[in-house]
Amino acid sequence: MEALEELQKPATGSRRGGWYDSVLLFEFPLSLCFWKPVVDRESPGRFCCFGSDERAFGTGGVGGSMAFCDPNAELSYCYLMNRCFTFVYDDPREFSLRVAAYECANYFLDKSLPLEQLREPHYLTRKWVQRHPIFSPMTPQTN
């Protein structure tokens, strides 16, 4: 139980460079080796925009996979794919499913989750989705 409490604490930046990752070249909040959501979603270097509050924790993987736990939304989520894209985070396929999962959690748990923030992808994904709107979670899908 103590480990779960530690995982839910907000990320704190390093003494040397805050959250800036010198290898990945953007801000990257970590806590106990897990990604943490960025509270300031307008930050130009924002990267981790999953989670309905700062207690969420998770990790992404090569090609677009993503897994996280969001205690506030009572949601555990994992996306694994069989065809890799070049996205490290917010793969449009994964992002659409993540938004749908949050919408379901919001509806069935009668929560007031910040859906507008959760529907906002990383700026690189947003640029890609503009070229491929079929992947947009805001675009109604027709058969």
Side-chain angles (χ1 to χ4, degrees), residues 4 16 35 66 106 125:
L4 185 58
R16 292 187 64 202
W35 294 358
M66 178 67 181
N106 192 60
T125 302

Side-chain angles (χ1 to χ4, degrees), residues 4-116:
L4 185 58
E5 290 171 7
E6 288 296 316
L7 286 169
Q8 294 182 47
K9 289 183 179 177
T12 54
S14 71
R15 291 177 297 194
R16 292 187 64 202
W19 291 346
Y20 189 77
D21 188 299
S22 299
V23 175
L24 297 174
L25 304 177
F26 46 74
E27 292 179 2
F28 196 25
L30 292 170
S31 180
L32 300 175
C33 298
F34 284 96
W35 294 358
K36 296 292 290 183
V38 173
V39 175
D40 178 13
R41 293 172 185 267
E42 297 305 313
S43 167
R46 73 183 178 89
F47 182 68
C48 300
C49 296
F50 67 93
S52 61
D53 68 10
E54 69 279 350
R55 294 185 309 148
F57 57 92
T59 191
V62 174
S65 60
M66 178 67 181
F68 66 88
C69 175
D70 187 338
N72 181 49
E74 300 179 42
L75 178 67
S76 293
Y77 172 90
C78 180
Y79 173 79
L80 299 171
M81 67 289 155
N82 59 0
R83 180 171 287 173
C84 291
F85 274 15
T86 57
F87 293 91
V88 175
Y89 181 74
D90 273 358
D91 178 308
R93 302 163 300 170
E94 179 274 324
F95 181 74
S96 296
L97 292 172
R98 179 172 9 125
V99 169
Y102 271 113
E103 288 172 345
C104 289
N106 192 60
Y107 178 80
F108 287 109
L109 298 174
D110 197 26
K111 296 248 180 192
S112 293
L113 301 175
L115 293 178
E116 290 306 312

